[in-house]
Every structure is written in structure tokens, then in C-alpha cells.
């Protein structure tokens, strides 16, 4: 996790510097600060700081991974990484539901926004519990 928080630190520092430079530059050119771009850059910095802070916090609590050790071998990273779904249609449904909610927000139609948010919750639950549904076999059968 050391690598990740360092990457976020570098990107966050860049965004912070660019936000200050952008605000000063627009103030010098037009006489006033262009707040939309400055705010977007500042919020991007905060997002990077949040992610980097999380990775820094986690990296202090776990052992060094092979990616973080300079003396690590390729074989140190071998083994099971995790379970990845071989094929699922739920991400398509989730994207469609988010699109419906986005359209409701764009056109300021609360009924469409509500329907989209309900569909997002339904699709997210379907994606989360995809492998926890179905019949359960017990020792008696």
C-alpha cells in the first residue's frame, strides 16, 4: 500500500499546485477568479487526499506486500488473488439504472430520478448478492 499512497500524494500535490496557479492566472487575466475550474481542481485534490490518506492508514496496519518491498521476487506474489465473476449481467443493469437516474437529474424529473435510484439500489443488491442466492443444500438432503 506504500506505492498507492505515494502515487495519490504526488497527484494530489500536483492538483493543489495547479488549483492555486489556475485561480491566480484567471484572476490576473480577467480581474476575477474563475470559480468553477478552481473548485473542480480543489475538489479533485481533496479526493486524492482522501484516497491517499486511506491507503496510508491501511499501509501502517498491514505487513509489507511484495509490491512494496525492493527485495521481493516475482514468486512472492504468487497464489490466490481472489474470486472474480466469470460472467455477470448485473453491471449492465447497474449502468442502465444509473443512466436513468442521471437523465432524471439532467431533465429535473423527480419521478424519473426516483425510479432510477430505486433501480440503482436493486441492481447494486443484485450484483452484491449474486452468488448468495439460490437453493441451499443441507446435510439432510
Amino acid at each position: 500500500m506504500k506505492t498507492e499512497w505515494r502515487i495519490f500524494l504526488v497527484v494530489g500535490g500536483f492538483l493543489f499546485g495547479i488549483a492555486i496557479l489556475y485561480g491566480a492566472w484567471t484572476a490576473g487575466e480577467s480581474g476575477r477568479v474563475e470559480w468553477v475550474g478552481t473548485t473542480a481542481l480543489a475538489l479533485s485534490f481533496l479526493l486524492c487526499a482522501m484516497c491517499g490518506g486511506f491507503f496510508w492508514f491501511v499501509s501502517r496496519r498491514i505487513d509489507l506486500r511484495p509490491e512494496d518491498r525492493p527485495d521481493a521476487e516475482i514468486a512472492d506474489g504468487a497464489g490466490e488473488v481472489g474470486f472474480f465473476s466469470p460472467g455477470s449481467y448485473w453491471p449492465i443493469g447497474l449502468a442502465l439504472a444509473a443512466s436513468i437516474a442521471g437523465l432524471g437529474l439532467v431533465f429535473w424529473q423527480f419521478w424519473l430520478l426516483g425510479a432510477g435510484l430505486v433501480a440503482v439500489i436493486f441492481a447494486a443488491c443484485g450484483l452484491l448478492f449474486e452468488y448468495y442466492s439460490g437453493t441451499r443444500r443441507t446435510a439432510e438432503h
Side-chain angles (χ1 to χ4, degrees), residues 4 15 18-19 28 30 38 41 45-46 49 53 55 60 65 70 80 102 118 123 128 130 133 137:
E4 287 87 351
L15 287 169
I18 291 298
S30 64
T38 308
L41 286 166
F45 157 71
L46 289 174
F55 285 134
R60 293 179 38 215
R65 300 176 307 158
E80 185 173 337
V118 167
L128 272 168
E130 180 174 16
S133 62
R137 295 181 186 243

Short mmCIF file of all heavy atoms in Angstrom, two decimals, residues 4 15 18-19 28 30 38 41 45-46 49 53 55 60 65 70 80 102 118 123 128 130 133 137:
data_model
loop_
_atom_site.label_atom_id
_atom_site.label_comp_id
_atom_site.label_asym_id
_atom_site.label_seq_id
_atom_site.Cartn_x
_atom_site.Cartn_y
_atom_site.Cartn_z
N GLU A 4 0.72 2.97 -3.42
CA GLU A 4 -0.54 3.64 -3.75
C GLU A 4 -0.64 5.00 -3.08
O GLU A 4 -1.03 5.99 -3.70
CB GLU A 4 -1.73 2.76 -3.34
CG GLU A 4 -1.95 1.57 -4.23
CD GLU A 4 -1.15 0.35 -3.81
OE1 GLU A 4 -0.29 0.46 -2.90
OE2 GLU A 4 -1.39 -0.71 -4.38
N LEU A 15 -2.34 18.57 -8.14
CA LEU A 15 -3.65 19.22 -8.28
C LEU A 15 -3.77 20.44 -7.37
O LEU A 15 -4.37 21.45 -7.76
CB LEU A 15 -4.77 18.23 -7.96
CG LEU A 15 -5.01 17.15 -9.02
CD1 LEU A 15 -5.95 16.08 -8.48
CD2 LEU A 15 -5.57 17.76 -10.28
N ILE A 18 -1.77 23.21 -9.05
CA ILE A 18 -2.46 23.68 -10.26
C ILE A 18 -3.70 24.49 -9.88
O ILE A 18 -4.04 25.47 -10.57
CB ILE A 18 -2.81 22.49 -11.17
CG1 ILE A 18 -1.55 21.90 -11.77
CG2 ILE A 18 -3.78 22.88 -12.27
CD1 ILE A 18 -0.76 22.86 -12.64
N ALA A 19 -4.40 24.10 -8.81
CA ALA A 19 -5.59 24.87 -8.38
C ALA A 19 -5.19 26.29 -7.99
O ALA A 19 -5.86 27.26 -8.36
CB ALA A 19 -6.28 24.17 -7.22
N GLY A 28 -5.65 37.13 -12.67
CA GLY A 28 -4.79 38.09 -13.34
C GLY A 28 -5.27 38.44 -14.74
O GLY A 28 -5.13 39.57 -15.20
N SER A 30 -8.61 38.09 -16.05
CA SER A 30 -9.93 38.71 -16.16
C SER A 30 -10.29 39.61 -14.98
O SER A 30 -11.36 40.21 -14.97
CB SER A 30 -11.00 37.63 -16.31
OG SER A 30 -11.05 36.82 -15.15
N THR A 38 -11.48 26.32 -10.54
CA THR A 38 -10.71 26.30 -9.30
C THR A 38 -11.34 25.35 -8.28
O THR A 38 -10.63 24.59 -7.62
CB THR A 38 -10.63 27.72 -8.72
OG1 THR A 38 -10.16 28.62 -9.72
CG2 THR A 38 -9.72 27.78 -7.52
N LEU A 41 -10.70 21.71 -9.39
CA LEU A 41 -9.33 21.29 -9.08
C LEU A 41 -9.14 21.08 -7.58
O LEU A 41 -8.47 20.13 -7.15
CB LEU A 41 -8.33 22.31 -9.62
CG LEU A 41 -8.14 22.29 -11.14
CD1 LEU A 41 -7.40 23.54 -11.58
CD2 LEU A 41 -7.41 21.05 -11.57
N PHE A 45 -8.23 17.59 -5.69
CA PHE A 45 -7.17 17.46 -4.70
C PHE A 45 -7.69 16.78 -3.43
O PHE A 45 -7.04 15.90 -2.88
CB PHE A 45 -6.59 18.84 -4.36
CG PHE A 45 -5.91 18.88 -3.02
CD1 PHE A 45 -4.70 18.24 -2.82
CD2 PHE A 45 -6.50 19.55 -1.96
CE1 PHE A 45 -4.08 18.28 -1.58
CE2 PHE A 45 -5.89 19.59 -0.72
CZ PHE A 45 -4.68 18.94 -0.53
N LEU A 46 -8.86 17.19 -2.96
CA LEU A 46 -9.42 16.60 -1.75
C LEU A 46 -9.73 15.12 -1.93
O LEU A 46 -9.55 14.32 -1.01
CB LEU A 46 -10.67 17.37 -1.31
CG LEU A 46 -10.41 18.76 -0.75
CD1 LEU A 46 -11.72 19.48 -0.49
CD2 LEU A 46 -9.57 18.69 0.50
N ALA A 49 -6.49 13.34 -1.76
CA ALA A 49 -6.03 13.33 -0.38
C ALA A 49 -6.80 12.31 0.45
O ALA A 49 -6.22 11.62 1.29
CB ALA A 49 -6.17 14.72 0.23
N GLY A 53 -4.92 9.22 1.98
CA GLY A 53 -4.98 9.08 3.43
C GLY A 53 -5.48 7.71 3.85
O GLY A 53 -4.97 7.10 4.80
N PHE A 55 -5.18 4.89 2.03
CA PHE A 55 -4.11 3.93 1.75
C PHE A 55 -2.96 4.06 2.75
O PHE A 55 -2.35 3.07 3.14
CB PHE A 55 -3.59 4.10 0.32
CG PHE A 55 -4.53 3.55 -0.71
CD1 PHE A 55 -4.84 4.28 -1.84
CD2 PHE A 55 -5.10 2.31 -0.57
CE1 PHE A 55 -5.68 3.79 -2.80
CE2 PHE A 55 -5.95 1.79 -1.52
CZ PHE A 55 -6.25 2.54 -2.64
N ARG A 60 -0.11 1.29 7.26
CA ARG A 60 0.52 1.23 8.57
C ARG A 60 0.06 0.03 9.36
O ARG A 60 0.71 -0.38 10.31
CB ARG A 60 0.20 2.51 9.36
CG ARG A 60 0.85 3.74 8.76
CD ARG A 60 0.53 4.99 9.53
NE ARG A 60 0.49 4.78 10.95
CZ ARG A 60 -0.35 5.40 11.78
NH1 ARG A 60 -1.21 6.26 11.31
NH2 ARG A 60 -0.32 5.16 13.08
N ARG A 65 3.58 -5.76 1.43
CA ARG A 65 3.26 -6.66 0.32
C ARG A 65 4.49 -6.79 -0.56
O ARG A 65 5.42 -5.99 -0.47
CB ARG A 65 2.09 -6.10 -0.49
CG ARG A 65 0.83 -5.92 0.32
CD ARG A 65 -0.25 -5.27 -0.50
NE ARG A 65 0.26 -4.03 -1.07
CZ ARG A 65 -0.27 -3.45 -2.14
NH1 ARG A 65 -1.29 -3.95 -2.73
NH2 ARG A 65 0.24 -2.33 -2.60
N PRO A 70 11.56 -3.76 -1.98
CA PRO A 70 12.51 -3.72 -3.11
C PRO A 70 13.24 -5.04 -3.33
O PRO A 70 13.72 -5.30 -4.43
CB PRO A 70 13.49 -2.62 -2.71
CG PRO A 70 13.36 -2.46 -1.24
CD PRO A 70 11.97 -2.89 -0.88
N GLU A 80 -3.40 -17.29 -4.63
CA GLU A 80 -4.75 -16.89 -4.95
C GLU A 80 -4.93 -15.40 -4.69
O GLU A 80 -4.57 -14.88 -3.64
CB GLU A 80 -5.74 -17.68 -4.09
CG GLU A 80 -7.16 -17.38 -4.45
CD GLU A 80 -8.14 -18.28 -3.71
OE1 GLU A 80 -7.74 -19.37 -3.29
OE2 GLU A 80 -9.29 -17.86 -3.58
N GLY A 102 -29.48 9.50 -13.92
CA GLY A 102 -28.80 10.68 -14.46
C GLY A 102 -29.70 11.49 -15.37
O GLY A 102 -29.69 12.72 -15.33
N VAL A 118 -34.17 3.84 -7.37
CA VAL A 118 -34.68 2.54 -6.93
C VAL A 118 -34.05 1.43 -7.77
O VAL A 118 -33.64 0.38 -7.25
CB VAL A 118 -36.22 2.50 -7.02
CG1 VAL A 118 -36.76 1.09 -6.87
CG2 VAL A 118 -36.82 3.41 -5.96
N ALA A 123 -30.23 -3.01 -8.62
CA ALA A 123 -29.13 -3.58 -9.39
C ALA A 123 -27.88 -3.77 -8.53
O ALA A 123 -27.16 -4.76 -8.69
CB ALA A 123 -28.82 -2.71 -10.60
N LEU A 128 -24.32 -7.45 -5.66
CA LEU A 128 -23.69 -7.85 -4.40
C LEU A 128 -24.05 -9.27 -3.99
O LEU A 128 -23.20 -10.03 -3.53
CB LEU A 128 -24.12 -6.90 -3.28
CG LEU A 128 -23.28 -5.67 -3.10
CD1 LEU A 128 -23.98 -4.69 -2.18
CD2 LEU A 128 -21.94 -6.03 -2.54
N GLU A 130 -25.26 -11.76 -5.86
CA GLU A 130 -25.39 -12.66 -6.99
C GLU A 130 -25.02 -14.10 -6.63
O GLU A 130 -25.68 -15.05 -7.07
CB GLU A 130 -24.49 -12.18 -8.12
CG GLU A 130 -24.54 -13.01 -9.37
CD GLU A 130 -23.73 -12.40 -10.48
OE1 GLU A 130 -22.90 -11.51 -10.21
OE2 GLU A 130 -23.92 -12.81 -11.62
N SER A 133 -27.55 -16.25 -3.66
CA SER A 133 -28.95 -16.59 -3.87
C SER A 133 -29.04 -18.03 -4.37
O SER A 133 -28.06 -18.67 -4.71
CB SER A 133 -29.60 -15.64 -4.88
OG SER A 133 -28.95 -15.75 -6.12
N ARG A 137 -28.10 -26.33 -0.02
CA ARG A 137 -28.08 -27.76 0.26
C ARG A 137 -27.68 -27.96 1.71
O ARG A 137 -26.71 -27.39 2.18
CB ARG A 137 -27.14 -28.48 -0.66
CG ARG A 137 -27.59 -28.40 -2.10
CD ARG A 137 -26.63 -29.17 -2.96
NE ARG A 137 -27.01 -28.97 -4.34
CZ ARG A 137 -27.41 -29.93 -5.13
NH1 ARG A 137 -27.44 -31.16 -4.70
NH2 ARG A 137 -27.76 -29.68 -6.35
#
